[in-house]
Each structure stands twice: as structure tokens, then as C-alpha cells.
Amino acid sequence: QVQLVESGGGLVQPGGSLRLSCAASRSIFSINAMGWYRQAPGKDRDLVARITNRGSRNYADSVKGRFTISRDNAKNTVYLQMNSLNPEDTAVYYCNAQPIEDLTRLYWGKGTLVTVSS
């Protein structure tokens, strides 16, 4: 199993920045990939960014050039740096993890709310 705890959400003005953190309960070397998803009210949960244990990254088109996903192996933590935020980025952001021992399984955190508003 993998327990995930997100943090770093909050209220930010348009154009501002936030950094989200996702702390895993075990070494992220044993996790094939970790991702950030978001879900706005009344909408589906969509991929924002994903990083593999080899360091490969991919992003949703809507966040390319503004968001950066990274990992700190020593802290078993994945980050999402979000810059140039706009109201359309308002959502609950969820972290997930795909363990190496079962690539069909996804573990999810409880989410952290990001609100972009003036």
C-alpha cells in the first residue's frame, strides 16, 4: 500500500503561485509513477502532471509552461509548482501513485483545495 498526503493548497490571486506537496508513505523508488490530478466543481478529474521513477514528465496542455512537477527522493515527496495561476485552475488537486508491484493499482490522496480568486 501507499498512503499519500497532499498539502500546500489555499487561496491565491490571479497571476500568483503555489507549490503543492505530496508525501508518500514509502520510498518513491518503489513507485512507478506519481501524478497530480484536479477536479473542479461539476467536472471530471483530469490529469495535470505526471512523473515516473525514471524522471519522465508529462503535462496537460492547459498547464504547460506554467506548472512544473518534481520529486525529492530523499523526502519521498513529489511537488507541483504552479505559476501564473488563473481562476480556471481552481479545483481540488489530488496526488496519486502507481506502485511497481501492481501497475494496475492507483492510490489516491484526499486532495487539497486550490482557489484562484481576487
Side-chain angles (χ1 to χ4, degrees):
Q1 285 194 352
V2 184
Q3 282 78 47
L4 303 169
V5 178
E6 303 99 333
S7 61
L11 174 63
V12 62
Q13 292 187 342
S17 298
L18 279 177
R19 188 178 79 158
L20 305 182
S21 300
C22 175
S25 60
R26 70 187 216 195
S27 171
I28 58 177
F29 284 115
S30 68
I31 298 173
N32 180 63
M34 294 183 70
W36 284 98
Y37 285 69
R38 66 186 180 186
Q39 187 168 21
K43 296 189 176 181
D44 294 335
R45 188 177 298 189
D46 295 324
L47 174 69
V48 176
R50 184 175 180 267
I51 186 168
T52 71
N53 62 1
R54 295 184 178 185
S56 296
R57 297 169 173 84
N58 61 289
Y59 297 93
D61 287 343
S62 60
V63 307
K64 283 181 181 177
R66 299 189 299 124
F67 291 11
T68 302
I69 189 169
S70 63
R71 53 194 286 160
D72 185 330
N73 297 329
K75 296 182 178 180
N76 295 330
T77 298
V78 171
Y79 302 99
L80 185 68
Q81 178 66 44
M82 306 186 295
N83 299 328
S84 302
L85 286 160
N86 58 62
E88 289 71 37
D89 296 315
T90 295
V92 178
Y93 284 71
Y94 297 91
C95 175
N96 78 358
Q98 180 188 46
I100 284 179
E101 69 271 16
D102 185 357
L103 298 183
T104 66
R105 187 76 182 261
L106 285 177
Y107 293 94
W108 292 90
K110 294 183 178 180
T112 185
L113 177 62
V114 172
T115 303
V116 184
S117 175
S118 55

